[in-house]
Amino acid sequence: MDRVILWLNANSGWLQIVALAVGVLYMVLQVLQSRWMWYADFITCIAALLVSFSNFDNGSWAPLWAQVALNAYFITMAAIGIFRWRQLSGLSGGRMHVLKLSPHVIRIAAVIVLAGGPLLCYLLSVTNDPAPVADGICLIISIVAAWFLTRSHIEQWWMWMGADLIAIVIYAEQDAWWMVALYYCYVVSSVIGMVHWRRNAVYIEWRRK
């Protein structure tokens, strides 16, 4: 196991480049609301997960557990998104779709953030995570944002902006500059994506069968 971690850390630069290259493709596909974005998301998240898991701080293994968990969660949500967007595309007649955010979903999201945020920060503080508070906040916001993305809520763009700005600070402190570049691109794409969705998407209602 130690050899694997050391090898991953030694090749962290290449993993970051892979995450950046495929992540840029993912961002373009997300803005265009292409279902192929979910497959690019798989690759990006696997690379980012390995970078976070193999992180070293001051010569000691210090995995960014929140980022590891976050990317594992993203991989799961990508699988859900593939099937959910297929349903939403059917409801919109194949056009770009936006599902209106309901009060019920807003309440659930608020509970997740207000209850889960402090809990995550505490759990990370008792690990060797080098940035427990920032990691915890970034994680809880991203959890809700990814959920919103599978449901095609346009509000997810605002949440990605906030989470990605925090991630930039986290990775900059670990000198993971390719990851900083990736998340900077994510912030820019979030602005572009919000504008594009507002101009081109149609609002639909979710109908349970």
Side-chain angles (χ1 to χ4, degrees), residues 100-112 144 147-148 151 153 206 208:
K100 187 175 181 180
L101 192 61
S102 68
H104 176 66
V105 172
I106 293 175
R107 285 193 293 270
I108 294 175
V111 170
I112 292 174
V144 176
W147 176 42
F148 279 13
R151 295 173 58 88
H153 294 312
W206 178 253
R208 295 185 179 275

Side-chain angles (χ1 to χ4, degrees), residues 64 67 70-71 74 131 134-135 137-139 142 160-174 176 179-184 186-187:
L64 300 169
Q67 295 299 317
L70 179 58
N71 282 287
F74 283 165
D135 255 341
I137 295 173
C138 180
L139 175 57
S142 298
W160 286 128
M161 289 181 209
D164 293 339
L165 287 171
I166 297 173
I168 287 174
V169 176
I170 293 172
Y171 282 113
E173 291 181 348
Q174 302 304 316
M179 296 302 292
V180 169
L182 173 61
Y183 280 93
Y184 176 79
Y186 279 168
V187 172

Side-chain angles (χ1 to χ4, degrees), residues 27-180:
M27 288 183 290
V28 173
L29 294 174
Q30 183 183 7
V31 169
L32 298 176
Q33 206 179 82
S34 168
R35 63 187 179 88
W36 293 104
M37 60 158 276
W38 296 113
Y39 299 97
D41 193 25
F42 273 119
I43 299 174
T44 302
C45 291
I46 289 173
L49 185 151
L50 293 175
V51 170
S52 301
F53 178 73
S54 61
N55 182 69
F56 274 72
D57 186 44
N58 294 323
S60 299
W61 182 46
L64 300 169
W65 288 117
Q67 295 299 317
V68 171
L70 179 58
N71 282 287
Y73 171 76
F74 283 165
I75 292 170
T76 302
M77 297 307 288
I80 296 173
I82 290 172
F83 297 101
R84 178 60 65 85
W85 273 26
R86 187 176 300 169
Q87 294 174 311
L88 295 175
S89 181
L91 292 175
S92 66
R95 299 176 62 187
M96 288 186 65
H97 44 74
V98 170
L99 188 64
K100 187 175 181 180
L101 192 61
S102 68
H104 176 66
V105 172
I106 293 175
R107 285 193 293 270
I108 294 175
V111 170
I112 292 174
V113 172
L114 295 177
L119 176 61
L120 282 173
C121 291
Y122 170 74
L123 291 175
L124 291 170
S125 69
V126 298
T127 69
N128 58 345
D129 190 297
V133 175
D135 255 341
I137 295 173
C138 180
L139 175 57
I140 200 66
I141 294 175
S142 298
I143 285 174
V144 176
W147 176 42
F148 279 13
L149 177 58
T150 64
R151 295 173 58 88
S152 202
H153 294 312
I154 199 168
E155 290 80 5
Q156 51 104 8
W157 292 114
W158 288 110
M159 305 197 76
W160 286 128
M161 289 181 209
D164 293 339
L165 287 171
I166 297 173
I168 287 174
V169 176
I170 293 172
Y171 282 113
E173 291 181 348
Q174 302 304 316
D175 294 326
W177 299 112
W178 286 111
M179 296 302 292
V180 169

